[in-house]
Amino acid sequence: MKKLEEVSIARNKKVNKIEKIKELKTPQEAYEQLSYYAQNGYDSIPDEDKKYFLKCFGIFDKDPLTPKQFMMRVRVPGGHLTAEQAEAIANVAKKYGQDYIDITTRAQIELRYLDIENIPTLLQELQAVGIDSYQTGVDNFRNIVNDPLDKYAFDNLLPSQELLTKIQRIFLHDPEWIGALPRKFNTSISGSISNRCNVYGHDCCFVLAQKDGLYGYNMYLGGKVGEVAKSADIFLKNEEEVLKAYDSIIDLFKRFGFRDNRNKNRLHFLIQEAGMIELASAIRENAGINFATAGESLTTLDFTDADHGKVQLKDGSFALHAVVPSGIFSGSALFEAAQIAKEYGNSELRFSVEQNLYIMGVKDINTALKKHFFQEYKNVNTPYYNNLIACAGTKHCSFGVIENKEDAKNMAEYLSKKVPLEDARVRFYWSACVKGCGLHGLGDIGFEGCKAKLDGNTVDGVHISIGGKLVSEGLEGYTVIKSAPLIYAPYFIETLMLEYKNLRKERESFEKFHDRVLSSYSSAYIGFFMQLKAYLRSRNIELELKINKIAPTGKNEEFEIFELGRKLYYQLFKEEAYSSYERFSNENPREILPDLSNSNLDKKLLLLIETMIGNQTRATVFSELGEYISLSA
């Protein structure tokens, strides 16, 4: 562990402001004052409790957004709920939180518009059914995610929810762990072949694996926004080994994790400094077990539940899926779902990391689907809604840069009308800021809130990425358009969806379409093509132009520009610009492009073509061409 000690000492010579706040008291001391604060009102709460200590129990001050009110993040381990627990959450949302609920990407829920006067009573009502909000914020162990269909689905080989509960017992109510970590710690576990819980996207991941005829878990470490977890080369053959390995890694993170720069103190950065081999060795040494090296990871498949609206379970019943657009839910709706679960199912419900809902154990699907609940929360929606994620945004989060939730819904609605799709799957993941709570990097198409410039003014915008993956060991996407004004983003995505619709194979998902078609081109070409076709549509210019109709260039932008310019010229004039070509250029460098100035065609488009294939002013990167296809006046 010498290397861990060395990097920890080097990085912890100074500590951040939050670490200094932690010295003032224990989180438990603040929690014990809740009744006093409830009796004496919002102004009786010390600043440090609002800034840090109450967040250890999921109680977040939202004064700047909803004056003198709080949000509470309620822990739902693995997203698993009984109908009784769902009813309790529904009732407190209706009584104390304006009937509002957000389903989060950790398969738990957030209650909003809460007054401090009601919080102790609210907590008592939740605790009466085995639910609380411990460690759902700041430097704690956040809600552990699991396959929502754990134990019941045919593709679940190793039921893991009971193990999840045992892992949680290590830290959840122990004062020695509450608020004691250098930074938040996200955990996942899955014993399923299908990746329903973004299993590779967390600080510590236990992934279904097989080694030497044994089924267990491979351990992955260091996931965060923008980074998929990497293999620690550790195979854990049973529950005892999982618990020992977890106890070891969290102890190491608590002791050696960085406490200086809060932007660089997740487990990922400790691994970056010390190395995965060193950390894996320390895990073995600290646990006193020489864990086997990694086996074959088996959680490698995408899941298709939202496409069909139901999943057959091992006992012959079904998990009935309900799409909750952007995770915006209500206590009344959750209460309805609980009644359906009791009347038609096995009295169990599940939240998913895509902010949707399952009602478990349903046998009479047709009758259940006639309930009012499914009129609003469709069993199967359009492909633009089915796998949609959107984090809180400016309405509910001080970090948000754009509104986000309604932005996501508005785009889904626009595309549903403009580019209807059947038997398709495309994951739209929206984050309102760089923190990435909407998992935008893992989406087929990801949106990260930002500010953009439009006609000299600052407006809401998004960075648009594509190519994120949940299959295999996961993959972060890549940016194709930076700082797109939000009002234009639907038109750019419309281009991409039209290409997907027109070029896809039967039942092909966008992820597979990306790998087959889009992966052959540079990110700059893809982003430019999205904007070009939007410009052409805005000018009612119809050209037979497909994204895959330029020759492969090895992702060389200069060559892609010439090839696209050549295609544009041919589409407009029905003849080649030059007499002959060689290696993505005209063969005779002295041959001059015909004069386009006298044409009656769109002047910006003609200037674009001249800049793409003309001899004198030929562009070499797509960023030189943006002015010619701007949608602004």
Side-chain angles (χ1 to χ4, degrees):
M1 296 186 201
K2 184 177 180 181
K3 181 67 173 179
L4 287 176
E5 293 173 356
E6 290 174 352
V7 298
S8 180
I9 291 170
R11 280 286 303 272
N12 289 327
K13 291 177 181 178
K14 292 183 179 180
V15 297
N16 60 63
K17 293 179 181 179
I18 295 297
E19 292 300 324
K20 294 184 181 298
I21 290 176
K22 291 178 185 180
E23 296 173 2
L24 299 175
K25 63 178 78 168
T26 66
Q28 204 67 32
E29 288 176 279
Y31 188 76
E32 290 167 358
Q33 291 296 307
L34 276 177
S35 295
Y36 173 82
Y37 300 151
Q39 292 171 6
N40 292 277
Y42 177 87
D43 293 332
S44 69
I45 307 173
D47 192 49
E48 66 270 15
D49 286 9
K50 289 184 284 190
K51 283 185 175 179
Y52 182 78
F53 293 108
L54 290 181
K55 292 179 182 179
C56 291
F57 306 95
I59 303 168
F60 289 75
D61 178 25
K62 292 295 177 181
D63 185 50
L65 299 171
T66 55
K68 297 190 176 183
Q69 290 186 317
F70 292 83
M71 176 271 282
M72 181 181 293
R73 191 174 291 149
V74 179
R75 195 177 196 99
V76 183
H80 292 212
L81 273 180
T82 65
E84 181 187 26
Q85 291 172 326
E87 288 174 339
I89 293 172
N91 287 331
V92 299
K94 289 190 286 185
K95 282 194 289 185
Y96 309 119
Q98 298 183 20
D99 200 25
Y100 186 91
I101 287 175
D102 274 328
I103 304 175
T104 81
T105 55
R106 297 208 68 76
Q108 58 192 358
I109 63 102
E110 292 177 348
L111 304 172
R112 301 191 183 279
Y113 310 112
L114 305 177
D115 296 319
I116 189 64
E117 290 79 4
N118 297 320
I119 286 180
T121 305
L122 183 161
L123 285 170
Q124 288 174 5
E125 292 180 26
L126 293 180
Q127 289 165 356
V129 294
I131 301 174
D132 62 36
S133 59
Y134 270 62
Q135 296 206 47
T136 54
V138 288
D139 303 345
N140 286 288
F141 300 93
R142 306 298 185 87
N143 195 46
I144 302 175
V145 298
N146 183 18
D147 184 344
L149 306 187
D150 182 79
K151 186 173 79 171
Y152 295 115
F154 279 99
D155 57 5
N156 178 247
L157 304 186
L158 211 58
S160 303
Q161 186 67 12
E162 289 186 12
L163 177 54
L164 181 157
T165 303
K166 292 176 182 178
I167 292 171
Q168 187 174 267
R169 285 197 200 113
I170 295 173
F171 59 80
L172 187 59
H173 297 116
D174 186 346
E176 293 299 314
W177 283 112
I178 299 172
L181 297 176
R183 201 67 168 87
K184 68 179 177 180
F185 197 86
N186 290 337
T187 307
S188 65
I189 186 168
S190 178
S192 298
I193 295 171
S194 297
N195 185 3
R196 292 189 182 88
C197 65
N198 177 28
V199 72
Y200 297 99
H202 310 268
D203 293 278
C204 180
C205 319
F206 298 109
V207 180
L208 176 68
Q210 185 269 133
K211 184 180 176 73
D212 298 332
L214 298 176
Y215 285 91
Y217 303 89
N218 280 341
M219 191 177 195
Y220 288 75
L221 298 171
K224 69 176 191 69
V225 171
E227 296 286 343
V228 174
K230 303 296 189 296
S231 173
D233 197 22
I234 289 175
F235 175 76
L236 306 165
K237 66 178 183 289
N238 53 38
E239 287 192 0
E240 180 183 359
E241 288 199 346
V242 171
L243 294 170
K244 289 284 188 181
Y246 193 76
D247 197 45
S248 180
I249 183 58
I250 63 176
D251 175 64
L252 293 170
F253 184 52
K254 182 180 179 182
R255 282 195 284 153
F256 300 118
F258 304 145
R259 297 177 184 267
D260 53 352
N261 182 351
R262 286 186 66 79
N263 292 324
K264 294 184 177 181
N265 61 357
R266 294 281 294 276
L267 179 66
H268 168 83
F269 296 101
L270 180 60
I271 296 169
Q272 197 174 64
E273 295 278 346
M276 185 68 83
I277 294 174
E278 171 68 24
L279 185 60
S281 174
I283 290 170
R284 290 179 169 95
E285 180 183 341
N286 200 37
I289 300 174
N290 186 24
F291 300 118
T293 55
E296 177 188 3
S297 294
L298 301 178
T299 306
T300 57
L301 300 182
D302 198 359
F303 66 102
T304 61
D305 306 354
D307 300 356
H308 311 294
K310 62 183 183 296
V311 183
Q312 186 178 13
L313 305 178
K314 293 175 183 177
D315 65 357
S317 67
F318 290 84
L320 201 53
H321 191 256
V323 178
V324 183
S326 293
I328 301 172
F329 209 39
S330 68
S332 297
L334 182 57
F335 190 86
E336 282 187 75
Q339 304 319 299
I340 296 171
K342 291 198 296 186
E343 185 175 356
Y344 299 100
N346 63 1
S347 292
E348 295 182 36
L349 303 95
R350 303 286 186 262
F351 293 131
S352 76
V353 297
E354 286 192 334
Q355 301 174 306
N356 292 327
L357 179 76
Y358 296 88
I359 298 174
M360 305 296 291
V362 177
K363 294 182 179 178
D364 188 352
I365 291 175
N366 293 331
T367 305
L369 287 176
K370 292 177 182 177
K371 292 293 184 179
H372 173 267
F373 175 83
F374 286 105
Q375 294 179 24
E376 183 170 0
Y377 304 101
K378 298 182 187 301
N379 176 236
V380 179
N381 210 317
T382 76
Y384 304 110
Y385 282 107
N386 283 339
N387 302 99
L388 175 68
I389 286 177
C391 67
T394 53
K395 186 176 180 181
H396 295 302
C397 178
S398 57
F399 295 111
V401 180
I402 61 174
E403 196 284 337
N404 207 51
K405 282 186 177 291
E406 291 300 327
D407 296 328
K409 290 171 64 178
N410 290 341
M411 183 178 286
E413 190 64 24
Y414 174 83
L415 294 170
S416 296
K417 294 174 180 176
K418 286 288 187 177
V419 195
L421 294 170
E422 294 183 2
D423 294 325
R425 188 183 322 124
V426 55
R427 295 177 294 109
F428 280 44
Y429 289 1
W430 287 71
S431 296
C433 74
V434 68
K435 288 182 176 291
C437 295
L439 310 179
H440 62 274
L442 294 174
D444 288 325
I445 304 177
F447 304 88
E448 179 194 323
C450 65
K451 290 301 178 184
K453 287 292 184 181
L454 181 61
D455 298 328
N457 300 313
T458 300
V459 297
D460 286 352
V462 283
H463 302 309
I464 301 174
S465 61
I466 65 172
K469 293 180 182 294
L470 294 179
V471 299
S472 188
E473 295 185 357
L475 185 70
E476 286 282 325
Y478 55 91
T479 302
V480 291
I481 302 178
K482 290 185 177 181
S483 304
L486 190 55
I487 60 170
Y488 295 150
Y491 310 136
F492 303 152
I493 302 303
E494 182 181 355
T495 298
L496 205 54
M497 292 299 98
L498 285 168
E499 297 302 304
Y500 172 46
K501 181 176 183 176
N502 294 328
L503 299 175
R504 65 191 286 253
K505 295 181 177 180
E506 187 177 2
R507 297 181 180 273
E508 186 175 43
S509 68
F510 185 86
E511 184 172 299
K512 291 181 179 178
F513 169 76
H514 169 273
D515 292 350
R516 182 176 61 84
V517 177
L518 301 180
S519 63
S520 299
Y521 303 101
S522 72
S523 60
Y525 169 70
I526 297 168
F528 180 81
F529 189 91
M530 291 163 65
Q531 296 171 79
L532 171 63
K533 288 298 290 283
Y535 177 81
L536 295 176
R537 289 195 304 275
S538 74
R539 300 299 191 271
N540 295 314
I541 301 172
E542 294 186 16
L543 298 179
E544 195 66 32
L545 198 64
K546 302 298 181 186
I547 198 166
N548 65 338
K549 290 306 180 184
I550 69 167
T553 68
K555 300 186 179 181
N556 182 300
E557 283 190 53
E558 182 177 359
F559 296 164
E560 288 175 330
I561 288 170
F562 187 85
E563 283 294 294
L564 181 59
R566 180 182 164 190
K567 297 294 182 186
L568 279 170
Y569 186 95
Y570 186 85
Q571 285 292 315
L572 288 171
F573 300 105
K574 303 306 177 186
E575 63 180 13
E576 288 286 354
Y578 297 104
S579 59
S580 58
Y581 300 91
E582 183 178 3
R583 284 195 54 78
F584 308 108
S585 184
N586 47 308
E587 186 175 26
N588 181 0
R590 294 181 181 179
E591 187 176 1
I592 299 173
L593 183 72
D595 184 11
L596 304 179
S597 60
N598 295 323
S599 172
N600 293 324
L601 296 173
D602 183 272
K603 298 303 180 184
K604 288 173 69 174
L605 185 57
L606 295 175
L607 286 171
L608 171 66
I609 293 172
E610 192 170 321
T611 308
M612 296 176 84
I613 62 175
N615 283 350
Q616 302 301 318
T617 58
R618 191 174 297 175
T620 58
V621 292
F622 282 101
S623 58
E624 298 177 53
L625 304 175
E627 62 180 296
Y628 301 115
I629 56 170
S630 172
L631 294 180
S632 62

